[in-house]
Amino acid sequence: MAAPAGSSASGALHVVVISPEETIFEGDAEAVVAPAWDGEVGILLGHAPMMAVLGSGNVRVTRGGVVERFHVEGGFLQVVDNVVTVLSERAETAA
Amino acid sequence: MSRAREIKGRIRGVQNTRKITRTMEMVATSKLKRAQDRLGSARPYSQRLREVIGRLLNPELAARYALLRQPEATRRVAILLVTSNRGLAGAFNANLTRAARTLMSELRANGVETELHVVGRKGISSFRFLGEPIASDRADIGDRPTAEEADSLVDPLMERFIAAELDGVYVIHARFISALSTPPNTTRVLPIEPPSQEEAPRAIDYILEPSADAILEKILPLYVRNSVYTALLENAAAEQGARRTAMKSATDNAGDMLQTLTRTYNRARQAAITQEIAEIVGGAAALE
């Protein structure tokens, strides 16, 4: 299933940000930057499957030139088939 | 006429009671709706967690993680009993308390020491009444439990499990099947029962940052906390469901009672009138 980049690039990245209480964000985006445990990771369309532990900081979701920020503390990030899942115990929309 | 007046008083009393139970029913219905929504919106998180753990966890390596450690001998376990702060919910709290007592006596019969942690005023007071020692109690968790509250409940237990002071942690809470059915449920949250492999098809070749081990180390505690959080949410929904059902039947019973009382009242009233007429007729006849 480790498809090379671009093979399933049918449209956009699907991004989901989830906290224990609720789904904070769900939608399509062009790019995601997340604070991984050892520095930021950027994810674009066609990224290989990945799982990463998150540190604390802002997840930035870019869509149509607009950047949306979500503050997370801990948790992890998963990328599979152009679906980016951010799971964090403390996640909220950042101002 | 005095008997009729007495019945009239009772009718008024039952009417007032019915007003109260009907209001409580409606309040519980709307709270239930919100509690169910919260339960629904918490689902994605636990689903993804389970998925990821299923994908990363190699059952043969399970023994390496402190939270999955299967103790050779169970000496001491903690029971976390979740009840509600308020009553008037039928047998809701009594069922939970009974489930806890059953589990405790089973464990004790096997020579296992138990300690009881109780959430909810109702559970606390019934174990106080039974004279059963309570290791810790929490009455501050309300209709809207938060993830932080769940963390604060389970984190100390998790630490003690890791330190091998505890060999297991059970959670007892009410399941929410429907408003009519809220049976107590006992789950063992520690050691973690790894999610079954069918639930999460593996065979995805992930890039792992930093490593599968390190990720699991981080995620497993989240999983334990989340199962307690879900238990609190489900219990909150079940409480409202049970209350709605209890109040509905109380309202219905009050209706039946009113009907009987009204009938008795009318009969008494008619009897009084008949008697009065008879007296007047009798009096008139005596004058002739």
Side-chain angles (χ1 to χ4, degrees), chain B residues 266-281:
Chain B
N266 286 339
R267 199 172 302 138
R269 191 176 66 103
Q270 209 192 346
I273 293 170
T274 311
Q275 200 188 342
E276 223 168 288
I277 292 172
E279 276 163 11
I280 292 168
V281 171

Side-chain angles (χ1 to χ4, degrees), chain A residues 50-64:
Chain A
M50 176 173 82
M51 234 180 250
V53 170
L54 295 179
S56 64
N58 283 344
V59 172
R60 302 197 296 278
V61 179
T62 312
R63 54 168 177 179

Side-chain angles (χ1 to χ4, degrees), chain B residues 242-267:
Chain B
R243 179 162 303 123
R244 192 186 88 181
T245 309
M247 288 302 114
K248 180 163 176 14
S249 69
T251 308
D252 292 350
N253 288 344
D256 290 349
M257 217 154 131
L258 276 179
Q259 212 166 34
T260 334
L261 281 175
T262 311
R263 221 165 271 155
T264 324
Y265 170 73
N266 286 339
R267 199 172 302 138

Side-chain angles (χ1 to χ4, degrees), chain B residues 54-281:
Chain B
R55 275 183 182 148
L56 291 180
L57 195 66
N58 184 340
E60 285 124 56
L61 299 179
R64 284 168 48 188
Y65 304 100
L67 294 175
L68 290 144
R69 170 184 65 95
Q70 295 286 346
E72 294 122 47
T74 310
R75 289 171 315 252
R76 189 177 177 85
V77 303
I79 297 168
L80 179 64
L81 170 67
V82 187
T83 63
S84 73
N85 279 335
R86 283 161 212 239
L88 288 178
F92 180 77
N93 287 304
N95 286 341
L96 289 166
T97 313
R98 184 164 346 104
R101 291 177 67 195
T102 312
L103 178 65
M104 281 199 299
S105 56
E106 266 171 32
L107 287 166
R108 281 179 191 161
N110 292 323
V112 180
E113 277 179 61
T114 59
E115 57 176 63
L116 186 63
H117 302 262
V118 189
V119 177
R121 233 167 258 143
K122 286 289 150 184
I124 296 168
S125 65
S126 59
F127 278 99
R128 286 234 176 96
F129 176 74
L130 290 166
E132 189 74 53
I134 299 174
S136 79
D137 57 55
R138 293 285 296 267
D140 58 333
I141 295 176
D143 292 341
R144 242 168 299 159
T146 63
E148 280 89 357
E149 284 167 339
D151 298 355
S152 69
L153 276 173
V154 76
D155 281 356
L157 298 178
M158 205 153 38
E159 270 163 37
R160 289 175 53 213
F161 181 81
I162 292 170
E165 282 170 38
L166 291 173
D167 302 306
V169 175
Y170 290 87
V171 173
I172 298 178
H173 73 280
R175 282 187 61 202
F176 179 74
I177 296 172
S178 73
L180 293 172
S181 173
T182 56
N185 184 44
T186 306
T187 18
R188 199 189 62 183
V189 292
L190 282 172
I192 296 174
E193 205 80 64
S196 61
Q197 299 293 318
E198 302 105 70
E199 215 171 315
R202 24 174 65 229
I204 296 180
D205 196 6
Y206 283 103
I207 302 170
L208 298 164
E209 287 288 341
S211 67
D213 262 6
I215 295 177
L216 277 175
E217 207 74 62
K218 290 267 186 217
I219 294 179
L220 289 172
L222 301 193
Y223 182 70
V224 177
R225 287 182 191 147
N226 188 249
S227 22
V228 173
Y229 176 58
T230 317
L232 289 180
L233 281 184
E234 193 168 359
N235 195 71
E239 179 197 343
Q240 299 306 337
R243 179 162 303 123
R244 192 186 88 181
T245 309
M247 288 302 114
K248 180 163 176 14
S249 69
T251 308
D252 292 350
N253 288 344
D256 290 349
M257 217 154 131
L258 276 179
Q259 212 166 34
T260 334
L261 281 175
T262 311
R263 221 165 271 155
T264 324
Y265 170 73
N266 286 339
R267 199 172 302 138
R269 191 176 66 103
Q270 209 192 346
I273 293 170
T274 311
Q275 200 188 342
E276 223 168 288
I277 292 172
E279 276 163 11
I280 292 168
V281 171

Side-chain angles (χ1 to χ4, degrees), chain B residues 17-42:
Chain B
T17 309
R18 183 169 69 169
K19 238 178 253 170
I20 294 167
T21 57
R22 187 177 282 152
T23 311
M24 285 184 77
E25 182 192 336
M26 287 190 297
V27 171
T29 306
S30 86
K31 281 192 179 171
L32 170 63
K33 172 81 181 58
R34 266 172 288 155
Q36 268 179 296
D37 289 347
R38 272 191 290 275
L39 197 56
S41 58

